[in-house]
């Protein structure tokens, strides 16, 4: 299918009344009609409470089915609601992707005592002081589930680190000690070794852990019927483990078309390309460098050099493996990776991901419906629906770039036998115009601005149009019907 579009269905402050899945089910057909082909669903596993966004994973096997952590349902609804929503989405022709959080577990049931050593939080390869017996929340027995689906209980030896010693009331990163035990080695080298992120860090070298997660993945895929995984926090998880799990799903489980993509939150393209290689190019990644370029441009008061916006991005260098996006639940205001693309730039940013040949664009619920938390933003619902319609009907053929001015750039998708061209013009500073070639066959025809801002443009006898754009704006042009 050409010109697919994914949506991240949630933001940090998405409605937590337990009706999220029910609404999705009702909205499935509508989403498809608006242009959505794939949906990234929030983490479905039980966290610390009925308000847990899903990243404080307590029990992988509890999808809103058991009375645990004071609630049967998750923030988003019950397991029954979840299964029904996925079914409705699939019936509507939308592929469903589950957010899978395998780096850590939190909200343990009891504390345990064990040997550990404090590490320097800025260089986790550097021990601080001597090993000692600490006490931490590392025991998980899932009493509410009572062994259904899996009887494994989790203990300190299934983890490689924690961030709090209950005994001495010390907040610090502690590496858990054991025979041959260390951090996962094949992780990001930021902070020496970036295995540890939060909570109880899962030890992906432990055979019981590997067996359990593989078993869980098989069960989870069958139980929910999802079409793909969005791996969370890949910077902090052994790439060998992820490669093996991915191979297991594709080969052993026979899910050849299962879509695997992930979050590797890294600006540096070398680390990203190394990761793609280490996981045998089986996993797509979010284009984090492009997100940062867009954020930088949005904060530049018009002084960012737009000719470089795609330099060193994933979509430029690994076009087949890039999930392009503007913002997400972590980059939104107040969250852990806050790096919000400013509002005036949003439409430009969406043009940069929706009207290009390469990349699998992912639109963000926080933009589509507007942010609903402390910081509120205006929904881009109608605007994005128009932009998705333009992508679906006009984003075809060769791509001619006119990235020839620091603040004014444009491009033309030249169209094909069935589709007329699309011309896009961006200015991040002053009002501007640019001549772009749409094709000799279009001489004398009229192009209209689908963004609804500017007057139609007549294509000259050579097939050129003199397209216009206002200050800090974007226009996108298609042939008048
Ligand atoms: Ca880790």
């Amino acid at each position: 299918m050409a010109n697919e579009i994914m949506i991240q269905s949630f933001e940090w402050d998405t409605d937590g009344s337990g009706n999220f899945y029910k609404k999705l089910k009702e909205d499935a057909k509508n989403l498809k009609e608006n242009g959505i082909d794939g949906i990234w669903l929030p983490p479905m596993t039980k966290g610390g409470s009925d308000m847990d966004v899903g990243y404080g994973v307590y029990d992988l096997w509890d999808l809103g089915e058991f009375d645990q952590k004071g609630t049967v349902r998750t923030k988003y609804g019950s397991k029954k609601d979840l299964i029904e929503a996925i079914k409705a989405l699939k019936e509507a022709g939308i592929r469903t992707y589950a957010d899978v959080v395998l780096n850590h577990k939190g909200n343990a049931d009891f504390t345990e005592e064990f040997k550990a050593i404090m590490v320097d939080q800025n260089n986790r390869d550097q021990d601080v002081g001597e090993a000692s017996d600490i006490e931490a929340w590392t025991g998980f027995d899932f009493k509410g589930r009572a062994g259904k689906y899996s009887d494994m209980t989790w203990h300190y030896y299934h983890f490689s680190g924690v961030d709090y010693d209950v005994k001495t009331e010390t907040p610090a990163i502690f590496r858990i000690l054991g025979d041959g035990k260390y951090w996962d080695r094949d992780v990001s080298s930021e902070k020496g070794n970036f295995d540890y992120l939060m909570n109880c860090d899962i030890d992906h070298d432990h055979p019981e852990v590997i067996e359990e997660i593989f078993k869980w993945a098989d069960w989870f895929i069958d139980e929910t019927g999802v079409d793909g995984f969005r791996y969370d926090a890949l910077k902090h998880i052994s790439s060998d483990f992820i490669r093996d799990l991915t191979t297991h799903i594709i080969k052993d489980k026979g899910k050849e078309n299962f879509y695997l993509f992930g979050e590797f939150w890294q600006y540096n393209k070398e680390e990203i390309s190394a990761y793609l290689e280490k996981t045998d190019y089986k996993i797509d990644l979010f284009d984090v460098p492009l997100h940062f370029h867009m954020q930088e441009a949005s904060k530049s008061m018009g002084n960012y050099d737009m000719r470089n916006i795609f330099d060193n991005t994933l979509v430029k260098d690994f076009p087949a493996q890039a999930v392009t996006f503007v913002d997400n639940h972590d980059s939104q205001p107040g969250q852990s990776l806050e790096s919000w693309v400013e509002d005036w730039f949003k439409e430009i940013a969406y043009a940069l991901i929706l009207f290009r040949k390469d990349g699998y664009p992912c639109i963000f619920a926080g933009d589509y419906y507007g942010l609903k938390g402390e910081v509120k933003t205006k929904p881009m619902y109608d605007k994005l629906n128009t932009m998705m319609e333009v992508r679906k009907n006009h984003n075809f053929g060769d791509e001619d770039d006119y990235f020839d001015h620091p603040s004014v750039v444009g491009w033309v998708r030249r169209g094909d036998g069935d589709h007329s061209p699309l011309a896009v013009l961006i200015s991040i500073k002053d009002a501007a115009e640019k001549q772009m070639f749409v094709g000799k066959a279009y001489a004398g025809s009229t192009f209209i601005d689908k963004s609804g801002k500017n007057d139609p443009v007549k294509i000259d006898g050579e097939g050129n149009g003199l397209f216009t754009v206002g200050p800090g704006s974007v226009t996108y042009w298609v042939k008048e019907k």
Side-chain angles (χ1 to χ4, degrees):
M1 202 181 344
N3 285 326
E4 287 204 33
I5 302 168
M6 183 195 317
I7 185 170
Q8 176 181 2
S9 60
F10 62 103
E11 50 122 346
W12 199 262
D13 299 299
T14 285
D15 170 37
S17 62
N19 293 310
F20 177 81
Y21 294 142
K22 285 201 184 100
K23 281 189 202 145
L24 262 189
K25 181 184 163 188
E26 283 166 22
D27 209 23
K29 274 199 189 120
N30 186 41
L31 284 171
K32 182 68 190 183
E33 278 162 20
N34 291 350
I36 303 292
D37 308 287
I39 189 163
W40 159 15
L41 298 163
M44 298 162 186
T45 49
K46 179 70 59 74
S49 74
D50 63 358
M51 287 307 290
D52 197 310
V53 174
Y55 297 99
V57 182
Y58 164 67
D59 186 0
L60 288 170
W61 302 90
D62 183 357
L63 309 179
E65 182 178 7
F66 303 101
D67 189 0
Q68 302 193 103
K69 299 296 144 185
T71 177
V72 173
R73 70 163 174 94
T74 67
K75 177 178 178 182
Y76 309 101
S78 68
K79 180 178 177 184
K80 184 171 159 284
D81 298 339
L82 166 67
I83 306 287
E84 285 178 12
I86 291 173
K87 194 163 163 273
L89 288 161
K90 287 167 75 100
E91 276 169 10
I94 297 177
R95 286 164 63 80
T96 53
Y97 310 131
D99 197 323
V100 171
V101 186
L102 300 175
N103 176 65
H104 53 267
K105 284 166 94 68
N107 308 290
D109 297 308
F110 53 92
T111 64
E112 298 176 308
E113 277 200 52
F114 51 87
K115 278 223 173 337
I117 190 159
M118 193 190 289
V119 301
D120 181 342
Q121 61 168 324
N122 295 313
N123 178 8
R124 282 85 183 278
D125 278 330
Q126 184 67 52
D127 296 341
V128 176
E130 300 295 317
S132 64
D133 289 312
I134 69 163
E135 181 184 356
W137 288 91
T138 49
F140 294 78
D141 57 9
F142 315 113
K143 284 212 168 66
R145 180 162 53 80
K148 192 169 178 188
Y149 305 129
S150 163
D151 57 9
M152 177 173 171
T153 57
W154 290 63
H155 300 280
Y156 69 90
Y157 44 85
H158 296 121
F159 302 109
S160 45
V162 293
D163 62 359
Y164 193 74
D165 175 17
V166 176
K167 217 165 24 178
T168 58
E169 298 180 3
T170 309
I173 300 175
F174 294 93
R175 182 165 60 78
I176 297 171
L177 299 176
D179 218 11
K181 200 174 174 71
Y182 197 71
W183 299 123
D184 283 348
R185 283 186 173 81
D186 42 351
V187 293
S188 163
S189 58
E190 237 180 284
K191 297 178 193 288
N193 173 310
F194 215 172
D195 186 6
Y196 191 84
L197 174 65
M198 62 195 281
N199 298 138
C200 302
D201 188 78
I202 293 176
D203 180 353
H204 296 95
D205 286 330
H206 197 293
E208 287 171 15
V209 168
I210 296 170
E211 196 189 329
E212 178 76 353
I213 294 180
F214 279 36
K215 191 176 116 186
W216 172 80
D218 289 350
W219 170 85
F220 180 77
I221 293 167
D222 291 338
E223 200 82 354
T224 61
V226 292
D227 306 293
F229 281 177
R230 177 261 181 199
Y231 288 127
D232 182 57
L234 285 177
K235 238 162 87 169
H236 314 282
I237 302 178
S238 154
S239 55
D240 282 357
F241 172 81
I242 291 294
R243 184 199 57 214
D244 293 348
L245 176 59
T246 298
T247 307
H248 170 75
I249 293 167
I250 296 171
K251 289 242 172 74
D252 305 343
K253 187 140 182 70
K255 291 270 169 189
E256 268 172 48
N257 296 317
F258 204 73
Y259 183 56
L260 294 135
F261 64 112
E263 177 218 21
F264 192 90
W265 197 259
Q266 173 60 261
Y267 187 84
N268 178 323
K269 207 196 57 201
E270 266 76 74
E271 260 208 58
I272 297 174
S273 47
Y275 191 85
L276 290 173
E277 192 184 341
K278 279 192 270 185
T279 49
D280 296 342
Y281 301 94
K282 293 275 194 312
I283 300 170
D284 290 359
L285 295 177
F286 287 105
D287 197 340
V288 176
L290 179 61
H291 159 75
F292 278 116
H293 288 185
M294 295 193 290
Q295 196 223 3
E296 206 182 313
S298 80
K299 290 184 166 301
S300 72
M301 307 291 285
N303 292 319
Y304 185 87
D305 191 337
M306 287 296 286
R307 291 174 296 188
N308 305 329
I309 191 110
F310 286 115
D311 287 358
N312 293 309
T313 60
L314 204 57
V315 72
K316 185 169 184 187
D317 295 338
F318 296 94
Q321 300 213 255
V323 179
T324 48
F325 71 104
V326 176
D327 269 303
N328 67 25
H329 64 290
D330 281 329
S331 72
Q332 74 181 66
Q335 296 313 320
S336 59
L337 305 169
E338 180 174 341
S339 48
W340 190 241
V341 174
E342 297 207 352
D343 292 345
W344 73 272
F345 196 83
K346 286 275 177 178
E347 188 182 2
I348 297 174
Y350 276 103
L352 287 165
I353 68 170
L354 288 170
F355 302 153
R356 299 289 293 177
K357 180 155 61 72
D358 296 319
Y360 185 178
C362 178
I363 69 169
F364 176 42
D367 293 325
Y368 198 44
Y369 305 112
L371 295 176
K372 306 272 192 240
E374 228 167 273
V375 175
K376 292 186 174 50
T377 57
K378 265 204 312 214
M380 292 179 69
Y381 188 80
D382 294 331
K383 176 131 304 208
L384 281 171
N385 282 344
T386 301
M387 296 180 89
M388 288 196 280
E389 185 268 315
V390 169
R391 174 174 171 83
K392 293 287 173 183
N393 293 318
H394 306 284
N395 191 46
F396 297 88
D398 291 344
E399 189 170 73
D400 296 341
D401 283 341
Y402 297 80
F403 282 46
D404 50 8
H405 186 281
S407 58
V408 186
V409 296
W411 66 92
V412 176
R413 291 301 308 272
R414 293 285 302 283
D416 59 19
D418 300 319
H419 306 91
S420 58
L422 163 67
V424 183
L425 187 59
I426 293 169
S427 171
I428 63 164
K429 216 171 194 171
D430 308 322
E433 56 184 26
K434 198 184 284 289
Q435 177 172 298
M436 298 192 287
F437 179 70
V438 296
K440 263 219 145 134
Y442 298 93
S445 66
T446 300
F447 272 54
I448 54 161
D449 177 13
K450 289 287 279 185
S451 81
K453 299 183 192 100
N454 289 3
D455 292 337
V457 163
K458 197 93 171 163
I459 305 302
D460 71 15
E462 300 299 314
N464 295 304
L466 188 59
F467 297 99
T468 57
V469 67
S473 186
V474 55
T475 49
Y476 24 103
W477 306 80
V478 303
K479 187 172 169 287
E480 191 179 42
K481 279 221 176 90

